[in-house]
Amino acid sequence: MRGFVMAKKDTYLALLRRGIDEKTAQILSDGGIKVGDLKTLDVETLINNYGLKKEIATSVLDSVKSGPRSSAKQRYLADVLSDSGDKKKVDKIEEQRFRREQKDLHAELLEKKEQLRIAKVEQFREKKLVMNRLGKTVELIVKLENTFDEEGKDEQRTKLRDQLETRGLEAARDHELLDLSGTPQDIVDFRRKIAPVLCMHACPDCGEEMDPRGGNVLDDMSDFMLICWDCENEFRAPMAQFVEDKLENGERIQIDPKKGPRLKVYQPPKKSDSLSVDDLIKRDLESTGASVAELEAAVEASKLSGGLMSIEDWIDQTIAAKGYIQAQEHREEFILATGAGATKFNKWMKKAGLYFNKQTGRWTRWEDR
């Protein structure tokens, strides 16, 4: 009896490992059948002898024949629950909804990506501002420490110590915001003690290092010469020596006075050849065969009767009086005197051969510019 119970339990567990549900496995194990015997049975036998449905019986046989696997239960349930083996048709409405959701998700991802990019840019800008502020604070601390070392009065040293404490707190705050290694005092020490040493010159004869601030030859300020106080040898810095050699050898740019300019030279605008109103009247009167006196009288009469000046005369008269013509100042007078349109002011000035100065906004003769 005990062996039968153990065999029944083993069959039950073996069926579970093959993905068969607990109820079906319990029915088959209670029937006394073994897993090996299930492989020899068919669907009708399981239906008639054990009361299983056709779909369940088919899935049981497939699961037993395929052997135990991790996804056997999912496969068994899929075979039982599916109506048929054919692929389901996707509804068009569902497909459109899915595509719309996919498009919205893609747009949301792009928006998140843009927000992330903007956030990175803002973070970089903030770090840059903090770094610039830290650099200025470090330079100020360097100056304060140099002054503190040179100061002999206790009162001034106390004030400098307070300023150093305040600037030190500011530098520590910015240093922590940038998440830098070390301390702000390390930067100050490098700036005060190491950086000046790196900028020192060495004497080419004895090799003695010297600070260029205290080694300049002040007798001749026209040349950048250094002097070594140990061997009293005067020498130039390598860059200064290179420049001096270039100047002495004459390897400089030569300018040919006969060579023309590289850029195109624009000629001044020519005066327009269009006839004025007076010239037109004179031409018409000459065609009639009138004398000079009659022509002049007719021209003067035309001016008096018409009441308007020619544009050329108005320009000559205004430039003779003012020396220039400006739109804001003379536009209204130009319209009343000549009868021309307000929008044609610049056109007539350009047609008369005047030069326009963009800085002052005035029209003048080309020779008076």
Side-chain angles (χ1 to χ4, degrees):
M1 184 67 182
R2 185 177 180 182
F4 176 76
V5 173
M6 292 296 295
K8 178 180 176 182
K9 186 175 182 181
D10 293 339
T11 304
Y12 176 76
L13 295 176
L15 293 175
L16 290 180
R17 284 195 298 270
R18 284 163 174 77
I20 300 174
D21 63 308
E22 297 178 358
K23 185 177 180 181
T24 306
Q26 187 68 36
I27 293 173
L28 294 175
S29 61
D30 290 343
I33 192 171
K34 298 181 181 179
V35 177
D37 298 337
L38 283 173
K39 297 180 180 180
T40 60
L41 300 179
D42 55 0
V43 178
E44 294 181 358
T45 304
L46 291 177
I47 295 174
N48 297 330
N49 295 345
Y50 299 97
L52 300 179
K53 294 183 179 180
K54 184 177 180 181
E55 295 83 1
I56 297 178
T58 304
S59 300
V60 168
L61 293 178
D62 293 340
S63 300
V64 170
K65 292 178 181 179
S66 62
R69 61 179 65 182
S70 59
S71 60
K73 188 172 184 179
Q74 289 83 350
R75 182 181 177 184
Y76 169 78
L77 293 176
D79 294 339
V80 173
L81 298 177
S82 62
D83 297 336
S84 61
D86 299 336
K87 186 177 180 181
K88 291 185 178 180
K89 295 183 179 180
V90 181
D91 190 6
K92 290 185 177 180
I93 299 177
E94 294 294 334
E95 185 178 0
Q96 290 180 358
R97 184 182 293 111
F98 174 74
R99 289 182 178 178
R100 192 180 299 112
E101 292 177 356
Q102 188 179 16
K103 186 177 180 180
D104 295 341
L105 181 61
H106 182 65
E108 185 178 357
L109 290 176
L110 291 179
E111 184 179 358
K112 293 291 184 182
K113 186 177 180 181
E114 183 66 18
Q115 292 178 358
L116 181 61
R117 187 188 68 82
I118 295 175
K120 288 183 178 180
V121 172
E122 292 295 333
Q123 185 180 8
F124 174 76
R125 186 179 290 113
E126 291 177 0
K127 284 189 176 181
K128 187 177 180 181
L129 293 175
V130 175
M131 188 174 296
N132 292 337
R133 187 172 60 196
L134 177 61
K136 294 179 181 179
T137 307
V138 168
E139 290 294 330
L140 183 57
I141 292 176
V142 169
K143 293 181 180 179
L144 290 175
E145 288 190 357
N146 292 333
T147 308
F148 182 81
D149 294 340
E150 297 173 358
E151 186 62 43
K153 297 181 180 179
D154 294 338
E155 183 179 356
Q156 295 295 331
R157 289 173 67 89
T158 303
K159 293 181 180 180
L160 291 173
R161 192 179 293 109
D162 295 339
Q163 293 182 13
L164 283 172
E165 184 178 358
T166 304
R167 301 302 177 184
L169 292 176
E170 295 178 359
R173 177 199 60 192
D174 296 339
H175 193 275
E176 185 177 358
L177 288 175
L178 294 174
D179 196 14
L180 300 176
S181 59
T183 60
Q185 190 62 37
D186 297 338
I187 304 176
V188 174
D189 293 340
F190 177 85
R191 177 67 180 81
R192 288 188 62 208
K193 301 175 182 179
I194 301 177
V197 176
L198 299 177
C199 299
M200 286 188 175
H201 292 281
C203 178
D205 293 340
C206 63
E208 180 67 21
E209 293 183 351
M210 52 180 295
D211 190 349
R213 294 174 295 179
N216 293 337
V217 179
L218 302 179
D219 297 337
D220 185 10
M221 299 301 295
S222 62
D223 192 5
F224 188 75
M225 295 288 294
L226 300 174
I227 184 171
C228 178
W229 299 109
D230 291 344
C231 61
E232 297 183 357
N233 180 29
E234 295 184 2
F235 64 95
R236 291 191 182 94
M239 179 58 70
Q241 184 65 40
F242 179 78
V243 174
E244 189 67 24
D245 294 341
K246 284 289 184 181
L247 294 176
E248 290 179 358
N249 295 333
E251 296 180 0
R252 290 180 289 177
I253 299 175
Q254 299 293 335
I255 299 176
D256 187 5
K258 298 181 180 180
K259 190 174 182 180
R262 292 180 299 172
L263 301 179
K264 183 179 179 181
V265 178
Y266 294 93
Q267 298 295 331
K270 296 181 180 180
K271 189 174 181 179
S272 178
D273 296 334
S274 59
L275 299 177
S276 62
V277 178
D278 293 347
D279 296 334
L280 293 175
I281 295 175
K282 288 181 180 180
R283 187 182 63 181
D284 295 339
L285 292 176
E286 286 177 355
S287 62
T288 60
S291 62
V292 178
E294 293 175 352
L295 291 177
E296 292 180 355
V299 171
E300 293 295 334
S302 65
K303 290 182 180 179
L304 295 175
S305 60
L308 296 177
M309 295 177 60
S310 66
I311 296 176
E312 295 289 342
D313 294 340
W314 182 87
I315 291 174
D316 295 338
Q317 180 180 344
T318 307
I319 290 182
K322 294 281 188 176
Y324 64 90
I325 297 176
Q326 193 171 13
Q328 292 84 351
E329 185 178 351
H330 302 108
R331 186 189 298 272
E332 185 176 356
E333 181 183 350
F334 171 76
I335 297 171
L336 296 176
T338 62
T343 58
K344 305 295 183 180
F345 182 82
N346 292 333
K347 176 184 175 182
W348 284 111
M349 298 300 108
K350 189 182 298 184
K351 193 174 182 180
L354 299 182
Y355 170 76
F356 181 70
N357 191 337
K358 294 182 179 180
Q359 296 180 352
T360 60
R362 296 178 176 179
W363 293 89
T364 57
R365 301 285 186 190
W366 177 262
E367 55 272 8
D368 299 335
R369 66 187 186 280

